[in-house]
Amino acid sequence: MASSTPPPHWSLTTSETSKNHHSRHLKNTQTATTKLNSRWTSKKVSLDHPPHPKNAPTALPPFSSTSQLSVDFSGKRSTRFVSKMHFGRPKFSSARHSSIAVDVLEMAIKCSGNGNGSGYGVENVLLNYESRLCGTDDYTFLLRELGNRGELSLAMRCFEFCVGRERRFGELGKLASSMISILGRLGKVELAEEVFKNAVNGGYGTTVFVYSAMISAYAKSGCCYEAFRVFKEMKDSGLKPNIVTYNALIDACGKGGAGFKRASEVFDEMLKTGVQPDRITFNSLLAVCSGAGLWEAARDLFHEMVYRGINQDIYTYNTLLDVACNSNHIDAAFEIMSEMATKGILPNEVTFSTMVRGCAKSGRFDKALSLFNDMKYIGIKLDRVAYNTLVAIYANLGRFDEALRIGNEMEAIGLKKDVVTYNALLDGFGKQGMYGKVKDLFVEMKAQNVSPNLLTYSTLISVYSKEGLYIEAMEVYTEFKHRGLKADVVFYSKLIDAFCKKGLVESSVLLLHKMMKEGINPNVVTYNSIINAYGQSTTADHSLHHEQWAGSSELTLTSGVAEPCANNEEGDNIERIFEQLLPGKSTSNKKVITSGQDFACILQVFQKMHELGIKPNVVTFSAILNACSRCSSFEEASLLLEELRLFDNQIYGVAHGLLMGLHENVWLQALSLFDEVKRMDSSTSSAFYNALTDVLWHFGQKRGAQFVALEGQRRDVWPYAWSSSCLDLHLMSSGAARAMVHAWLLSICSIVFEGKELPELLSILTGWGKHSKVVGDGILKRAVEALLISIGSPFRLAKSNIGRFTSPGAAVTAWLRESGTLKVLSLQDERNHPRGSQLFNLPLLPLTDLDVALSSNFQALPL
DNA sequence: TTAGGGTTAG
């Protein structure tokens, strides 16, 4: 790279405001500002949201006590680096080949299909037709078409034949770049590497085409590091990268998880070297945003394209939709979709699958399903991806008849159910506890010659383990081993979580050792499972004979980064764990561990994450606060948070401060943290507020909990949760919900005391027990019900809706006018900070002007 | 040289 420091004009990583755009455009294109402004003012509505004041910062060093909240805090960020690898997309050949080449192609394929698996005939065919084939164009056609048909070994033999007979370096280079490109497209990056090396060593590979093809092949397999290495080699050998090279390198950043900053550096370099970006450059940059969830940056890029006069195509729009869907901007996605029509870019099956997935992710299942109808209505055929998406939605919703019906419909149009279809069905049935059906499906898929993959096995083992069906789990694991598949971080994390859920924390830690010995690095998900288990455990399993475990002792977490284990002499720990869990070998010798031990373990896990550079996120935060709530004492909880401040003073400092009692300084810090959390996606921010209010409520800091919940409310963390007739609590934790019930009733109180009438019917919604196996029997509902009874409110469970409490407005009015009600509703903290009296200007409730003079009981309320 | 699908934590 020419420069490791991005030039000042480049700021897409931090979401440019239009002002940033100005300077950038001016520097890069010397265009008049007036022209620029006119372009900006003509922006379409869907892309015209005001820029965020402070967009997500670039990655910060971990655990910096003074830093802003890192994007890694989001619980929605994927831990997968290589996200999408759709190998085998056909590449259409140009029409430069002769008709003879088409015949030769058919003959070559026939040769391989006539029982002569050696492909012996291919060389003969080529020899026979050599004189009639029109040089490299025909050969590259053959290679590409063989690749499109999955005839990889035939393509390689054909390539070797051509290379053996060709003497001209130019033609050899063309053949090599074609072959590398075909192999890259098929995900055969190692073979591509071999062809590349031979080409370079043979003297015909030192061309921009060969190098670019290799970079692209690396990109497609997510090998970003290697792509950059080859890029450097290319420049070192005196070759000048062209637009294709740069585009491929940007693609590598997206597929290899190098991030937007790196991609923008590539973009800078291409500008600096005089290579003008094109549509594909921008489409690739947009794809980088998709992986990183950078909606603002994507929007800016789109504007930049418009400004530069680069036309958008279906790729541009589909990628932009993908960013919107991935970053929880589903409404914007719909607006973009309607904009496509006005530009004459017709949505295709990719557009619909992207949108359907976006809707499903945001919980709009009805909309997702109706999109499929739209798709059929306008005549877009459902393809494999669309069908599998549909099957997964029905399976997740527990609508199994429909899931199976879609599977059959898929087969009826000639698309066989594949491993993705079966995995979706197994996961859905498994989550609903339909183990018999799971077994049948697993048998069926194998009978249909659909090979189970790593995901199939990890799903089954996890499903069975969580239910305590260890015999079944072990059988599946044994089969997995016999298949010779290699476990990955997800496989282990699922297993670790399953054991954690059964309270088998020590077994989980031993699995952690095992995975690291195999060279598999745990990630934030793995550690969060363990922290969560410690927070919840009252017992630890001592079912295992520790002396059998080479290299593992106590609960010590393996130090350092995972390193591959050269030998595997210690046997298979997983099978041993299952054996110990089987009936008759029960875990009767569990010993009680104290929360103090838990704390030491949690701190140890946190320390380990720090050492490994694994950044804790909102789920970690939530798990730790839950653990605090399970502490035997307030002092212990505050001590744990105090310790964690050493790692992250911003987040744990605020949590600790609020727990100790409100005062001005901590509240100001809290407000600044809330502002940063607001920049995260909605599920991250609601998880944050839920966890924080829960722990405060748990320890009797109810006033603090209410302040926090109201700040969440002010920042739209729970949109549409609050109106004068209805309080919707279904996205809140029980602590947040109870704090909100108090705040809402106080606001209703202000309406009453202003002499206004209440609506005829008031409702409090708790939802249907989303996280409970028994519909309508959620923890939230029970907590709210107990609260409503304890404060003597007239709200009662609605007969027609088991997740709704209702009361006539008149009854609420009468109750609020009773003498003791106001006192019951106003909340106090059990512990006050010595400087708590300095509290002033606390946040305004989202209430109307509540008459402070109503009662001295309101002294504590932030009005 | 560019776009969509199934997996882990709360």
Side-chain angles (χ1 to χ4, degrees), chain A residues 125 145 312 350 390 487 527 550 553 648 653 755 764 773:
Chain A
V125 173
E145 287 306 313
Q312 295 83 49
V350 176
L390 194 49
Y527 281 113
S553 63
D648 188 335
I764 297 174
K773 278 198 173 177

Side-chain angles (χ1 to χ4, degrees), chain A residues 435-628:
Chain A
Y435 305 109
K437 194 71 198 165
V438 167
K439 278 182 194 169
D440 293 346
L441 274 168
F442 190 45
V443 170
E444 182 192 309
M445 77 183 283
K446 286 186 280 191
Q448 295 291 320
N449 287 324
V450 178
S451 287
N453 63 12
L454 185 58
L455 181 54
T456 321
Y457 287 110
S458 66
T459 300
L460 287 172
I461 297 168
S462 163
V463 157
Y464 288 140
S465 298
K466 280 184 181 164
E467 192 55 29
L469 301 170
Y470 298 119
I471 295 175
E472 286 83 352
M474 190 163 77
E475 281 171 4
V476 174
Y477 179 72
T478 306
E479 185 180 318
F480 159 77
K481 265 193 27 178
H482 287 156
R483 285 279 315 279
L485 291 169
K486 178 143 171 43
D488 66 357
V489 61
V490 176
F491 182 93
Y492 272 109
S493 298
K494 281 181 99 159
L495 200 49
I496 284 171
D497 186 58
F499 284 143
C500 284
K501 292 266 184 339
K502 299 296 287 180
L504 308 169
V505 192
E506 281 192 47
S507 303
S508 300
V509 175
L510 290 167
L511 277 182
L512 187 68
H513 284 245
K514 179 171 159 61
M515 70 185 277
M516 290 172 91
K517 276 195 170 177
E518 287 176 9
I520 301 163
N521 283 319
N523 62 23
V524 66
V525 179
T526 327
Y527 281 113
N528 282 347
S529 285
I530 293 173
I531 291 177
N532 202 47
Y534 279 131
Q536 305 206 344
S537 70
T538 52
T539 58
D541 59 314
H542 281 242
S543 57
L544 304 158
H545 304 296
H546 282 182
E547 65 275 13
Q548 295 177 355
W549 296 74
S552 62
S553 63
E554 303 162 19
L555 292 174
T556 312
L557 300 163
T558 313
S559 60
V561 182
E563 282 172 16
C565 184
N567 61 50
N568 193 24
E569 287 168 10
E570 64 184 79
D572 195 312
N573 298 345
I574 298 179
E575 282 182 338
R576 211 169 301 163
I577 293 175
F578 282 130
E579 277 168 17
Q580 293 292 332
L581 294 171
L582 293 181
K585 296 189 179 179
S586 75
T587 56
S588 56
N589 49 344
K590 282 183 174 182
K591 75 165 187 183
V592 173
I593 61 169
T594 66
S595 58
Q597 281 173 293
D598 258 8
F599 275 27
C601 294
I602 289 173
L603 282 173
Q604 210 183 343
V605 174
F606 218 87
Q607 174 69 36
K608 188 52 62 188
M609 289 172 79
H610 190 182
E611 282 170 25
L612 298 178
I614 298 169
K615 293 170 186 168
N617 62 13
V618 69
V619 183
T620 324
F621 176 75
S622 177
I624 283 174
L625 294 197
N626 278 334
C628 286

Side-chain angles (χ1 to χ4, degrees), chain A residues 50-260:
Chain A
H52 205 286
K54 279 189 285 176
N55 191 34
T58 51
L60 292 163
F63 306 114
S64 163
S65 59
T66 53
S67 67
Q68 288 190 318
L69 207 58
S70 155
V71 289
D72 300 287
F73 190 66
S74 165
K76 275 206 151 181
R77 280 171 65 83
S78 171
T79 58
R80 281 189 299 184
F81 280 117
V82 182
S83 54
K84 299 161 194 164
M85 286 191 287
H86 293 180
F87 293 125
R89 275 211 172 100
K91 165 85 180 173
F92 299 107
S93 299
S94 64
R96 283 187 297 199
H97 59 275
S98 67
S99 58
I100 297 294
V102 180
D103 298 339
V104 172
L105 173 70
E106 296 309 320
M107 279 184 270
I109 291 169
K110 255 188 199 162
C111 280
S112 73
N114 65 4
N116 184 354
S118 69
Y120 166 77
V122 175
E123 286 81 1
N124 278 346
V125 173
L126 292 170
L127 266 177
N128 288 342
Y129 286 87
E130 193 178 12
S131 58
R132 294 168 64 193
L133 283 167
C134 299
T136 311
D137 282 345
D138 273 355
Y139 287 122
T140 52
F141 165 80
L142 278 173
L143 296 176
R144 202 162 290 288
E145 287 306 313
L146 288 170
N148 285 345
R149 288 161 169 75
E151 299 281 359
L152 189 60
S153 62
L154 270 185
M156 276 303 281
R157 294 184 86 102
C158 185
F159 171 71
E160 276 156 14
F161 175 89
C162 305
V163 169
R165 318 225 12 123
E166 180 61 70
R167 289 287 167 268
R168 294 164 296 178
F169 271 24
E171 301 308 297
L172 282 165
K174 282 184 198 170
L175 288 167
S177 65
S178 291
M179 197 63 225
I180 293 166
S181 148
I182 290 157
L183 292 167
R185 200 167 278 278
L186 293 168
K188 305 290 175 192
V189 70
E190 278 149 11
L191 269 177
E193 213 166 26
E194 212 179 296
V195 172
F196 172 73
K197 280 180 185 161
N198 287 339
V200 173
N201 294 336
Y204 56 89
T206 319
T207 74
V208 177
F209 296 96
V210 169
Y211 272 92
S212 299
M214 193 61 233
I215 291 168
S216 174
Y218 279 132
K220 289 196 174 73
S221 286
C223 305
C224 192
Y225 174 83
E226 287 80 2
F228 274 93
R229 179 178 50 75
V230 169
F231 180 68
K232 185 177 178 302
E233 279 172 26
M234 171 181 185
K235 289 191 291 187
D236 289 348
S237 57
L239 292 170
K240 190 178 178 303
N242 65 14
I243 181 80
V244 177
T245 325
Y246 281 113
N247 288 350
L249 203 56
I250 291 171
D251 191 35
C253 292
K255 294 200 171 76
F260 191 61

Side-chain angles (χ1 to χ4, degrees), chain A residues 522-750:
Chain A
N523 62 23
V524 66
V525 179
T526 327
Y527 281 113
N528 282 347
S529 285
I530 293 173
I531 291 177
N532 202 47
Y534 279 131
Q536 305 206 344
S537 70
T538 52
T539 58
D541 59 314
H542 281 242
S543 57
L544 304 158
H545 304 296
H546 282 182
E547 65 275 13
Q548 295 177 355
W549 296 74
S552 62
S553 63
E554 303 162 19
L555 292 174
T556 312
L557 300 163
T558 313
S559 60
V561 182
E563 282 172 16
C565 184
N567 61 50
N568 193 24
E569 287 168 10
E570 64 184 79
D572 195 312
N573 298 345
I574 298 179
E575 282 182 338
R576 211 169 301 163
I577 293 175
F578 282 130
E579 277 168 17
Q580 293 292 332
L581 294 171
L582 293 181
K585 296 189 179 179
S586 75
T587 56
S588 56
N589 49 344
K590 282 183 174 182
K591 75 165 187 183
V592 173
I593 61 169
T594 66
S595 58
Q597 281 173 293
D598 258 8
F599 275 27
C601 294
I602 289 173
L603 282 173
Q604 210 183 343
V605 174
F606 218 87
Q607 174 69 36
K608 188 52 62 188
M609 289 172 79
H610 190 182
E611 282 170 25
L612 298 178
I614 298 169
K615 293 170 186 168
N617 62 13
V618 69
V619 183
T620 324
F621 176 75
S622 177
I624 283 174
L625 294 197
N626 278 334
C628 286
S629 296
R630 287 166 200 276
C631 280
S632 52
S633 70
F634 174 86
E635 286 68 29
E636 216 168 43
S638 66
L639 198 65
L640 175 61
L641 293 178
E642 185 96 64
E643 293 277 343
L644 290 168
R645 290 178 71 175
L646 297 171
F647 295 97
D648 188 335
N649 191 37
Q650 189 189 24
I651 290 171
Y652 294 100
V654 165
H656 179 260
L658 291 174
L659 192 66
M660 301 308 284
L662 287 166
H663 70 96
E664 187 190 342
N665 279 350
V666 76
W667 189 247
L668 289 175
Q669 283 169 21
L671 290 176
S672 137
L673 177 61
F674 297 162
D675 286 339
E676 288 183 38
V677 170
K678 178 59 196 159
R679 296 207 316 267
M680 301 276 158
D681 56 282
S682 63
S683 75
T684 298
S685 49
S686 79
F688 170 85
Y689 280 96
N690 283 334
L692 192 53
T693 44
D694 255 4
V695 75
L696 294 173
W697 188 272
H698 175 83
F699 283 110
Q701 302 299 74
K702 296 186 176 174
R703 184 163 159 262
Q706 190 172 56
F707 277 27
V708 172
L710 286 168
E711 282 302 316
Q713 169 72 15
R714 265 160 52 105
R715 287 169 173 76
D716 264 340
V717 169
W718 303 286
Y720 316 113
W722 181 306
S723 77
S724 62
S725 63
C726 182
L727 177 66
D728 185 345
L729 304 168
H730 86 278
L731 290 175
M732 295 178 200
S733 64
S734 63
R738 284 177 286 181
M740 287 298 267
V741 166
H742 278 264
W744 184 69
L745 289 172
L746 282 170
S747 83
I748 299 292
C749 196
S750 78

